[in-house]
Amino acid sequence: MGRLLALLAALVAAVMIAWTVQQPPKPAGVRAPATAFSAARALSDIQAFAAQPHPIGSAANHAARDYLIGRMTALGLSPQVHAGVGFEQPRWAKGVVIGGDVQNLVGVLPGRDRTAPALALMAHYDSVPGSSGAADDAAGVSSALEVVRAIAARGVPARDVMVVITDGEEAGLLGAHAFFERDPAAKHVGFVINMEARGDAGRVQMFQTGARNGGAIRLLQRAADRPQATSLSEFVYEHMPNDTDFTVSRKAGIAGLNFAFAGDQFDYHAASSVPATMDPGTLQDMGQQVLSAARALAFAPALPKAAPDLVYSQVFGDLILAYPPFVGWLILLLAAVLIVVAVVRARRIEAFPWTDVARGAGAALFTAVGAMTVLHFARRATGAQFGYLEQRFLLAQVSRWEIALLLLAVGFLLTAVAEIARGRRQIAFLPLAAGLACSLFGGFDPAGLAMGVVAAILAVAAYGRPVSRAGGWAGALVLLFLVAGVVQVMAAPVAFAFQWPLVLGALAALASDLSERRSVPTLVLLSVIAAATLGWLGGFAHSSFISLDLVELMAVPLLAACAVIWPLAQPAEGAPPERLIGPALIIVGLAVTVAVRVNDPYDARFPQASYVVYQEDQEARRAWFVSATPQLPRWSRQVLTSGGGRIARFSNWVWQRPVDAAPAPFVAEPAPEITLARQPDGSLVLNAVPPPGAREIALGLQPDTFATLRSVQGAPLSMALAPGARSLVRWDAAPDGVTLVIRPAGPGHMTVSYNAKLEGWPAGVPPLPPRPRNVMPFNDSDSTYVTGTRTLAW
């Protein structure tokens, strides 16, 4: 019974620790000290300029610009509008240029040494269409203003503190490209702190640094205020397709830190993201973490020097541990010594066969693979498809969904460890059944089936006879040691997530002589170590859950947890009460998963997304009502059928995949003006002036001879235009037109497809009906797409 109580105490304490660590600080009010960050003061800025959508080039964005100029002027920053051209050629698509005319805002808090490299506080003030951007990125902008105010209140900094508020981030990091690639002011920047968001709540993480981050991390160690920062997050982010403005400054070789929060992702880029849904505690967390680092940088006699990258992670409180990658090998050596000594001493107390170690390692591996299978099954069983819009069904009930996954993961861990005491191979049927059942939802699922089969094979190999607790735990430690060694070789910044629990587990093994000592103090020690380690690992499980729709990754911290939970989770041989905890958690987890599936989560706070546009083809004189969401809400169906036509799948170059559409009345909207002029040097100048009211124009360029795109809006680039292939140029915020310079290989023709996006629903077609409270517009819904083609010759 003592072991059962120790297990329950460890689990409860771990949940409390993980929950507490993930809570943002209490927001400070307007009467907070002048040198402190106040979420209340920052929130007033969000309410002032982020009450409505303000995408690049819109009148609302110009109003936001003017407000921010006034605020920066009041702060003594002498702001200037830096107009320029920004574009990118995305790494995820060849033959594509995304750009626009931007208006960045740059202000400076003068320092004592105006020649010293400056600290830049960076955020972007534009939003996506259809969202006010209260979090993304008005929270970053307001934090930058409040941070620079707090720095000024402390005194004159050692160096200039620049506030760089970029434009056009949502359209493709356009303002950052314009600033760091073509603005002379960027040469004054020596260190960048960027602020971003992917939700409305949650803890703020410092998730990315500049290259050679050793100096920056050491500074963060000294200055941190309840930090959330790990080299694991940085490693994962660098292997993802996501980008922020910091990507551009990092590529330019400028050191820095990138901060963001990602809780309540339902509101990310959604109409539901408004000032009222922005969590003030999260805003306070952003401000406190950024201010602590910015203040240290602003008043330091010198900026951190570039130094070799460090492995680092927060522990608890203000503590960050950081060390060079080679130290990971020393940690592994320490773990190996502790494990060997613990095993030798345990065998002196009571010998166990070496095969128990092998079976324990197999059971630990089975735990990880089996948990992945069960979690994968749960994700399939919800019925939600994969993709941001598709998973909004889960994001609308995210807490319930995370609880279901936590119950299933921990339940499977406890079941797998408990069953090794009896050695019954029937446990193989649990992941095998889950793997087979994956194909009941959404068609045949080879991944789920493969995971289930592998887990079953591992169970057959590892189970089959009872295994001693000491031998099973030793096997789990040996497996984790091998995993940590492999990760150290392949991805050293990530290895600490396995090495630290491994060392703690090895220390616990030595202190308890691999659990052969059964005194109350020993059980208390095992419970405390397990609670602290599981609470720390819980933060990684939560981060992976909110950051990626890959629930299987939650099995990774589960494997690390085996190092410390094993001696409490494996009961004596037989059928004591401990054996029932795991199955009970699995049953409850499945019940919560069923509740997630059958629940209709959409209401006024979490509305269902609708994305309808009127699209016309001016050459064919045809038009359609189009819905671009994976599911077709009843309201969207009503819009599509308002013209009397039938809904069918619709493919067009404007859309990345087929969408739902129905015929609509054709209304002749103004067309863009597209001209082509041959220059004396043989180059071609293509000019496209969008129709009045268009915020964006996309051009599909399809020549019949080889050509090269040499510049856009006067900015040089080089992009091959292959004969017969459509290359894409998408340009924002250019009401007077976008100019392209093309160098052809010889005479020829070019088909230019265009799509001009007009804000608003056209007159002359059935008006949009009022939306119910549980339905919201998404992205540039309710707008008009004017499409067509031109054939030009030279």
Side-chain angles (χ1 to χ4, degrees):
M1 184 59 71
R3 196 173 300 275
L4 173 61
L5 294 177
L7 173 63
L8 294 176
L11 293 176
V12 172
V15 171
M16 294 178 63
I17 290 171
W19 184 85
T20 301
V21 170
Q22 294 303 316
Q23 298 309 299
K26 182 179 179 180
V30 293
R31 296 184 179 180
T35 55
F37 185 93
S38 164
R41 290 192 287 252
L43 191 59
S44 65
D45 284 323
I46 296 176
Q47 294 166 339
F49 82 90
Q52 61 178 320
H54 48 284
I56 177 177
S58 66
N61 204 41
H62 296 157
R65 174 203 61 198
D66 294 343
Y67 170 83
L68 292 172
I69 290 173
R71 283 286 288 118
M72 294 168 75
T73 300
L75 290 169
L77 304 181
S78 303
Q80 296 180 341
V81 177
H82 289 214
V85 172
F87 68 86
E88 70 168 351
Q89 295 173 264
R91 54 181 175 173
W92 44 263
K94 292 184 177 180
V96 175
V97 174
I98 297 173
D101 294 0
V102 298
Q103 297 186 2
N104 294 328
L105 311 180
V106 180
V108 180
L109 176 66
R112 289 192 300 272
D113 184 354
R114 302 302 306 276
T115 63
L119 165 66
L121 303 174
M122 183 165 65
H124 67 89
Y125 72 95
D126 63 303
S127 74
V128 295
S131 176
S132 74
D136 181 16
D137 191 25
V141 172
S142 64
S143 294
L145 297 179
E146 175 66 1
V147 166
V148 76
R149 184 209 56 75
I151 290 174
R154 180 164 178 162
V156 180
R159 67 195 65 259
D160 287 354
V161 178
M162 300 173 64
V163 177
V164 180
I165 310 299
T166 63
D167 188 14
E169 191 272 352
E170 300 293 2
L173 317 180
L174 308 185
H177 281 291
F179 183 76
F180 290 105
E181 295 171 3
R182 282 175 284 281
D183 193 328
K187 296 180 180 179
H188 188 39
V189 177
F191 199 98
V192 172
I193 294 181
N194 187 57
M195 288 153 278
E196 259 292 358
R198 193 179 171 85
D200 271 356
R203 288 300 312 277
V204 172
Q205 290 199 23
M206 195 293 293
F207 65 98
Q208 189 182 24
T209 68
R212 295 178 56 81
N213 65 25
I217 295 302
R218 293 302 184 196
L219 178 135
L220 193 66
Q221 273 187 298
R222 297 190 298 269
D225 187 350
R226 283 194 70 204
Q228 292 280 291
T230 75
S231 52
L232 184 153
S233 297
E234 181 168 4
F235 180 87
V236 171
Y237 185 79
E238 288 178 359
H239 289 80
M240 293 170 61
N242 306 59
D243 288 313
T244 69
D245 280 345
F246 190 82
T247 304
V248 185
S249 64
R250 190 179 193 274
K251 186 177 179 181
I254 302 175
L257 303 171
N258 202 1
F259 292 82
F261 51 90
D264 285 0
Q265 282 195 38
F266 180 89
D267 297 322
Y268 177 59
H269 285 181
S272 56
S273 178
V274 295
T277 61
M278 179 66 228
D279 185 352
T282 296
L283 191 59
Q284 185 70 33
D285 196 20
M286 174 72 85
Q288 286 184 186
Q289 291 198 47
V290 170
L291 177 58
S292 65
R295 187 165 47 209
L297 290 161
F299 290 95
L303 293 175
K305 293 183 178 179
D309 289 344
L310 298 178
V311 177
Y312 61 94
S313 175
Q314 81 280 348
V315 185
F316 296 113
D318 293 342
L319 180 61
I320 293 178
L321 297 182
Y323 50 78
F326 77 85
V327 174
W329 293 112
L330 301 180
I331 295 174
L332 285 172
L333 178 61
L334 173 62
V337 171
L338 293 173
I339 293 170
V340 169
V341 174
V343 169
V344 170
R345 294 178 61 174
R347 284 176 58 82
R348 289 175 180 172
I349 298 173
E350 184 174 344
F352 54 83
W354 291 109
T355 54
D356 281 7
V357 178
R359 291 181 180 274
L365 187 57
F366 163 76
T367 298
V369 179
M372 290 176 63
T373 309
V374 171
L375 294 171
H376 182 77
F377 162 77
R379 178 62 177 84
R380 299 270 298 184
T382 63
Q385 299 301 309
F386 293 87
Y388 178 65
L389 284 174
E390 289 84 350
Q391 68 164 328
R392 293 184 65 77
F393 172 80
L394 297 176
L395 296 177
Q397 46 185 333
V398 66
S399 296
R400 183 185 293 115
W401 175 224
E402 186 173 13
I403 289 171
L405 295 174
L406 178 64
L407 290 169
L408 290 171
V410 175
F412 192 88
L413 166 64
L414 298 181
T415 301
V417 176
E419 281 301 314
I420 198 69
R422 297 196 301 173
R424 299 175 62 181
R425 285 175 170 154
Q426 288 89 333
I427 194 173
F429 289 108
L430 177 55
L432 182 60
L436 290 169
C438 288
S439 296
L440 298 176
F441 308 97
F444 177 63
D445 179 26
L449 179 60
M451 285 188 288
V453 170
V454 171
I457 293 173
L458 289 170
V460 171
Y463 294 75
R465 70 167 184 80
V467 173
S468 64
R469 183 184 298 119
W473 188 13
L477 291 172
V478 168
L479 175 70
L480 191 57
F481 175 84
L482 295 175
V483 171
V486 171
V487 176
Q488 175 70 23
V489 172
M490 300 182 65
V494 178
F496 75 91
F498 299 97
Q499 293 168 351
W500 296 4
L502 174 65
V503 169
L504 290 172
L507 285 170
L510 182 61
S512 65
D513 288 337
L514 218 59
S515 81
E516 292 297 341
R517 302 187 187 279
R518 300 176 175 85
S519 64
V520 171
T522 300
L523 289 177
V524 171
L525 176 64
L526 292 176
S527 184
V528 169
I529 291 177
T533 306
L534 294 178
W536 182 73
L537 288 171
F540 292 101
H542 177 69
S543 295
S544 67
F545 169 77
I546 64 173
S547 302
L548 301 166
D549 188 18
L550 294 172
V551 298
E552 299 83 1
L553 290 179
M554 295 181 73
V556 175
L558 207 68
L559 176 62
C562 288
V564 294
I565 201 65
W566 199 287
L568 301 177
Q570 181 175 342
E573 184 179 345
E578 293 98 314
R579 190 176 65 83
L580 303 177
I581 297 177
L585 293 178
I586 291 176
I587 291 171
V588 177
L590 291 173
V592 178
T593 302
V594 171
V596 168
R597 179 182 176 89
V598 301
N599 179 53
D600 181 1
Y602 299 118
D603 55 24
R605 172 61 185 89
F606 299 103
Q608 187 174 14
S610 62
Y611 186 171
V612 297
V613 302
Y614 173 86
Q615 179 176 339
E616 68 175 37
D617 183 330
Q618 295 193 313
E619 272 60 52
R621 298 188 63 81
R622 297 182 62 192
W624 303 265
F625 296 127
V626 179
S627 173
T629 53
Q631 295 82 31
L632 193 61
R634 182 180 303 175
W635 181 87
S636 299
R637 184 177 296 275
Q638 180 182 353
V639 173
L640 264 61
T641 57
S642 63
R646 297 181 60 183
I647 299 174
R649 299 298 282 173
F650 177 67
S651 296
N652 188 272
W653 72 275
V654 169
W655 306 99
Q656 294 182 349
R657 59 184 179 185
V659 292
D660 292 312
F666 178 80
V667 177
E669 294 286 345
E673 298 178 9
I674 300 177
T675 59
L676 185 70
R678 188 178 182 92
Q679 302 301 299
D681 63 357
S683 63
L684 307 173
V685 175
L686 189 154
N687 190 62
V689 180
R695 195 179 41 78
E696 175 188 303
I697 186 168
L699 303 173
L701 309 177
Q702 191 170 351
D704 62 5
T705 187
F706 185 83
T708 303
L709 179 60
R710 302 305 300 269
S711 73
V712 181
Q713 293 295 73
L717 79 157
S718 180
M719 185 175 79
L721 306 179
R726 179 185 285 119
S727 301
L728 180 66
V729 176
R730 195 190 77 195
W731 209 260
D732 285 274
D736 297 328
V738 55
T739 300
L740 284 62
V741 176
I742 301 168
R743 171 76 67 172
H749 298 76
M750 178 180 294
T751 300
V752 179
S753 307
Y754 61 84
N755 176 31
K757 295 183 179 181
L758 306 179
E759 294 184 338
W761 200 248
V765 301
L768 292 173
R771 282 182 172 86
R773 297 183 64 200
N774 65 342
V775 176
M776 67 177 175
F778 191 83
N779 205 326
D780 52 10
S781 182
D782 306 5
S783 59
T784 300
Y785 287 9
V786 178
T787 67
T789 58
R790 297 282 191 276
T791 300
L792 308 173
W794 62 92

